[in-house]
Amino acid sequence: MIIPIDIGWLKVKTRFLLLVIAFCLMFLLNVGFSYAGDDDTNTKEVGVEWVNNYHGQPGWGDLTMCDDDAGGFRSTLVAQGFTGSWNFGDDNAWEMDFERQDLGGRDQTRADDVDFVYFAGHGQSDSFRFGVNHDGNGVDTLQLRFSEAQWGDRDLEWVTLSACSVLNFATITNWRPVFDTYLHGICGFHTAMADTDDLGRLFAEYLTNVRGPYQIREAWTRATQADPHQASSVYAACYRRINLNSYGDPIYDFGNDWASGYMGNEHWSSWDFAYTRWSC
Amino acid sequence: MGLCIYEVVLLKCKNIVITAVFMIMFFSIAWFAKVKFWSTQPISSDSTIRLPDGTELKLACDLPSTPSEIPNIKTTTRLDITAEKVTYIASEFFGLISPVVRSEYFDAFRVRDGDCDLWITDYGSIDYYVSGIDSPKSLPNNTEAKLIAENFLAEVKKQGITPRNPLVHIEFEDVIAGCESGTANSLTIQYWDVLFAVKFDCLKIAEAKISIGDNGSIVGVQGLWREVEQSGSVRILSSSEAIQKVSSTENVKQLTNVQKIQINSIALEYWDDRTALEQQDRLMPVYMLECVLTNYGGETSTAFLRVSASE
């Protein structure tokens, strides 16, 4: 018995199938090209920069432990299953990596292209400082001033600045416009701080099961208080957006008993801010 | 006779030459070995010197007279820290009822119960923290906070949780605003930190902090009171020699843009460079300088700067 085959119908089906495959391929390629080298499929990317060598800039002496400070944050989180993105130090740490695109910066492929950023180096109440000049627009060179940053328009959720006085309460409102859609908060210091090789590691340990898990603001509190390099005259700080559960922001995959778990970006539409500082 | 006088003169010349040769050799060796026989910049009370980086250093207190050596302090493990004891402490002092677990990362027991987290290590240190503290409705004043903390500490001592070495004692130091929170316009105190000095004989070996929150509740205890014992002695620098190293590596970050350092007090103490949960072999002698820092903009801040006292 011969089964009649509708050749025309088969052709249409084949064309439709090819069209679907081509569409899927185009989608995959498009994603691949748009986010080249990045892992935006998760919320666990970590990028760090640090500066020990300030090349004799007057008033900004060389530091010795910032590599271990920032590196400890990254390596501890990577050991806990996070994605270690970039790690740039000394002359490879550039201001442009944190600077707005419209000012010639490229934060869209660096700071704002990961979920957690940690910087260790010098700082003051309006900026944090780099060792070499790689500035996007030639203004305020060697330092990332608050007016040059706008974070969270892409991927960045938390920034930690292990640098003196960047979150000084007297000038904290300067940093408010830095918050774009997805940025949850900035951790840092109200006063000057001591150079440390422990802080980044401790912060990551308090965020995860090693010593925690704690929500991000509380993990920063615990880490700065546990850091043996910081005296009680040093005050750390956190400036953050408030959602309905103002303290409920643990790091992804490390929610705990009292937290409602990690909250996606959709929960961060509030523009109310809270500031907390504490003795180390 | 003439020969005799000649011999005496020759002997004198010989002695002079030998002495000269010895002196040249001695100072040459000293120069190459960079031995300092005198301080290049002696500092005394109420005097100001300029450090190599240009920072002005003013001494606004007397230099403490310190011995050339002090006890070398080693930490030891306590054999009486057991799960049963931790269960008792957790329940009696902090009202925690969750089971005690042994940490897989540290030599310590842990009890995590709701918002509360208690660690007690094999070295005897205690770390207790309460999360998610809201603005207090009835925060005691700082005098009341001090009293509450001292009573709590007395109870802890009574249970034998503080160091057993008879040379170790704990003294009140200060009450400070432990944590402040609010908006960009105003901050309110969330809890007080009552600070205590843990001393071996008369030298501080650690700091203990008891945090007092709403209605006088204990919201934090950081008792870095490891069990310690003396193991010989260690040579130390004089305070005069040590403070000239104030702008050394460790303090560079705090001294950023600082034009003047005024030292208001100097204390010889020990420094524990590990966290409460980590093992520590020995404590390091340091000079702790209480300073007022003035930056190039004229702003001042208080800071404690640590300078190694080790030779």
Side-chain angles (χ1 to χ4, degrees), chain A residues 59-60 62 64 121-122 162 164 193 201 211-214 218 222 226 228 233 235 258 274-280, chain B residues 110 112 114-115 117 127 129 131-132 176-178 180-182 209 249 253-254 256-257 271 273 275 278 304 306:
Chain A
W60 306 91
D62 285 347
T64 54
H122 278 306
S162 181
C164 297
M193 64 172 289
R201 170 183 63 85
R211 292 171 189 256
Y214 280 94
E218 306 249 21
R222 296 287 273 148
S233 59
Y235 276 74
W258 62 86
Y275 177 88
T276 307
R277 70 180 178 196
W278 55 89
S279 161
C280 293
Chain B
R110 184 180 194 186
R112 195 150 197 193
D115 290 347
D117 192 9
D127 184 26
Y129 184 82
S131 301
I176 59 172
E180 296 163 280
S181 199
K209 184 192 286 185
T249 354
K253 204 164 184 173
Q254 288 192 85
T256 296
N257 266 331
W271 180 49
D273 76 339
T275 68
E278 291 165 307
F304 288 93
R306 189 182 301 110

Side-chain angles (χ1 to χ4, degrees), chain B residues 240-278:
Chain B
S240 172
E241 288 172 302
I243 61 174
Q244 293 185 50
K245 297 195 298 179
V246 68
S247 58
S248 63
T249 354
E250 173 135 330
N251 296 318
V252 168
K253 204 164 184 173
Q254 288 192 85
L255 295 177
T256 296
N257 266 331
V258 167
Q259 187 181 18
K260 293 177 192 165
I261 305 168
Q262 178 176 306
I263 302 174
N264 287 340
S265 74
I266 303 169
L268 176 61
E269 53 190 60
Y270 293 88
W271 180 49
D272 189 342
D273 76 339
R274 301 289 172 127
T275 68
L277 301 184
E278 291 165 307

Side-chain angles (χ1 to χ4, degrees), chain A residues 58-66 69 80 120-124 162-164 169 172-173 192-195 198 201-202 205-206 209-214 217-218 221-222 225-226 228-235 239-240 247 256 258 273-280, chain B residues 103 105-106 110 112 114-117 119 127-135 176-187 190-191 193 195 207 209 222 249-258 271-278 288 293 296 301-304 306:
Chain A
W60 306 91
D62 285 347
L63 303 171
T64 54
M65 294 188 259
C66 293
D69 183 2
Q80 294 287 325
H122 278 306
Q124 56 189 358
S162 181
C164 297
F169 181 63
I172 196 63
T173 49
M193 64 172 289
D195 200 6
D198 288 316
R201 170 183 63 85
L202 290 170
E205 288 179 353
Y206 278 110
N209 287 332
V210 181
R211 292 171 189 256
Y214 280 94
R217 200 280 285 171
E218 306 249 21
T221 304
R222 296 287 273 148
Q225 290 181 338
H229 298 275
Q230 312 306 329
S232 56
S233 59
V234 174
Y235 276 74
Y239 188 51
R240 64 197 184 281
Y247 291 98
N256 47 40
W258 62 86
F273 286 79
Y275 177 88
T276 307
R277 70 180 178 196
W278 55 89
S279 161
C280 293
Chain B
S103 168
Y105 301 98
F106 305 103
R110 184 180 194 186
R112 195 150 197 193
D115 290 347
C116 306
D117 192 9
W119 294 77
D127 184 26
Y128 174 70
Y129 184 82
V130 180
S131 301
I133 295 171
D134 288 325
S135 290
I176 59 172
C179 177
E180 296 163 280
S181 199
T183 63
N185 302 320
S186 64
L187 296 175
Q190 305 291 298
Y191 55 80
D193 278 345
L195 308 178
E207 193 165 81
K209 184 192 286 185
Q222 285 185 300
T249 354
E250 173 135 330
N251 296 318
V252 168
K253 204 164 184 173
Q254 288 192 85
L255 295 177
T256 296
N257 266 331
V258 167
W271 180 49
D272 189 342
D273 76 339
R274 301 289 172 127
T275 68
L277 301 184
E278 291 165 307
M288 190 62 96
L293 309 179
Y296 283 93
S301 59
T302 303
F304 288 93
R306 189 182 301 110

Side-chain angles (χ1 to χ4, degrees), chain B residues 76-90 100-102 106-111 118-127 156 159-164 223 225-227:
Chain B
T76 59
T77 301
R78 283 179 67 150
L79 300 173
D80 63 322
I81 304 293
T82 60
E84 291 71 32
K85 185 158 190 167
V86 174
T87 304
Y88 174 78
I89 295 165
V100 173
V101 294
R102 186 74 182 163
F106 305 103
D107 299 329
F109 293 99
R110 184 180 194 186
V111 184
L118 172 69
W119 294 77
I120 299 184
T121 70
D122 294 354
Y123 326 109
S125 46
I126 293 184
D127 184 26
V156 169
Q159 294 297 327
I161 303 165
T162 51
R164 294 174 161 191
W225 42 56
R226 299 176 193 273
E227 197 64 44

Side-chain angles (χ1 to χ4, degrees), chain B:
Chain B
M1 182 69 181
L3 189 66
C4 192
I5 291 167
Y6 172 74
E7 276 181 354
V8 168
V9 170
L10 195 66
L11 203 63
K12 274 185 179 170
C13 286
K14 219 170 135 186
N15 282 346
I16 289 166
V17 169
I18 288 169
T19 310
V21 168
F22 175 78
M23 293 291 279
I24 289 165
M25 282 174 64
F26 178 80
F27 281 104
S28 301
I29 291 167
W31 173 261
F32 284 113
K34 296 189 189 307
V35 175
K36 283 181 185 170
F37 294 99
W38 54 84
S39 171
T40 48
Q41 282 188 300
I43 187 163
S44 58
S45 182
D46 210 27
S47 70
T48 303
I49 62 168
R50 204 174 280 280
L51 297 171
D53 63 358
T55 311
E56 292 172 27
L57 177 67
K58 183 178 181 184
L59 185 61
C61 62
D62 290 330
L63 284 169
S65 60
T66 49
S68 59
E69 56 186 56
I70 57 172
N72 181 37
I73 295 185
K74 286 183 70 176
T75 61
T76 59
T77 301
R78 283 179 67 150
L79 300 173
D80 63 322
I81 304 293
T82 60
E84 291 71 32
K85 185 158 190 167
V86 174
T87 304
Y88 174 78
I89 295 165
S91 160
E92 286 298 306
F93 288 95
F94 304 104
L96 310 183
I97 51 167
S98 290
V100 173
V101 294
R102 186 74 182 163
S103 168
E104 59 181 293
Y105 301 98
F106 305 103
D107 299 329
F109 293 99
R110 184 180 194 186
V111 184
R112 195 150 197 193
D113 193 344
D115 290 347
C116 306
D117 192 9
L118 172 69
W119 294 77
I120 299 184
T121 70
D122 294 354
Y123 326 109
S125 46
I126 293 184
D127 184 26
Y128 174 70
Y129 184 82
V130 180
S131 301
I133 295 171
D134 288 325
S135 290
K137 294 176 180 67
S138 175
L139 189 71
N141 63 35
N142 55 357
T143 313
E144 292 165 336
K146 175 181 180 256
L147 195 65
I148 294 164
E150 283 177 331
N151 288 339
F152 178 80
L153 190 61
E155 285 302 311
V156 169
K157 271 185 201 166
K158 209 183 287 178
Q159 294 297 327
I161 303 165
T162 51
R164 294 174 161 191
N165 189 319
L167 289 173
V168 176
H169 60 281
I170 302 173
E171 288 176 9
F172 167 77
E173 257 191 348
D174 200 3
V175 183
I176 59 172
C179 177
E180 296 163 280
S181 199
T183 63
N185 302 320
S186 64
L187 296 175
T188 53
I189 297 173
Q190 305 291 298
Y191 55 80
W192 297 102
D193 278 345
V194 184
L195 308 178
F196 297 89
V198 183
K199 292 188 171 180
F200 181 90
D201 209 355
C202 58
L203 297 179
K204 186 173 171 181
I205 55 172
E207 193 165 81
K209 184 192 286 185
I210 298 177
S211 305
I212 309 296
D214 200 12
N215 289 314
S217 57
I218 308 287
V219 295
V221 177
Q222 285 185 300
L224 221 132
W225 42 56
R226 299 176 193 273
E227 197 64 44
V228 293
E229 64 182 19
Q230 183 173 352
S231 171
S233 299
V234 58
R235 289 174 195 276
I236 58 163
L237 296 172
S238 71
S239 54
S240 172
E241 288 172 302
I243 61 174
Q244 293 185 50
K245 297 195 298 179
V246 68
S247 58
S248 63
T249 354
E250 173 135 330
N251 296 318
V252 168
K253 204 164 184 173
Q254 288 192 85
L255 295 177
T256 296
N257 266 331
V258 167
Q259 187 181 18
K260 293 177 192 165
I261 305 168
Q262 178 176 306
I263 302 174
N264 287 340
S265 74
I266 303 169
L268 176 61
E269 53 190 60
Y270 293 88
W271 180 49
D272 189 342
D273 76 339
R274 301 289 172 127
T275 68
L277 301 184
E278 291 165 307
Q279 189 182 356
Q280 169 71 289
D281 293 329
R282 60 179 284 263
L283 306 180
M284 280 164 276
V286 294
Y287 285 101
M288 190 62 96
L289 316 177
E290 187 188 353
C291 304
V292 173
L293 309 179
T294 308
N295 68 17
Y296 283 93
E299 295 164 350
T300 59
S301 59
T302 303
F304 288 93
L305 302 179
R306 189 182 301 110
V307 181
S308 172
S310 298
E311 278 196 336

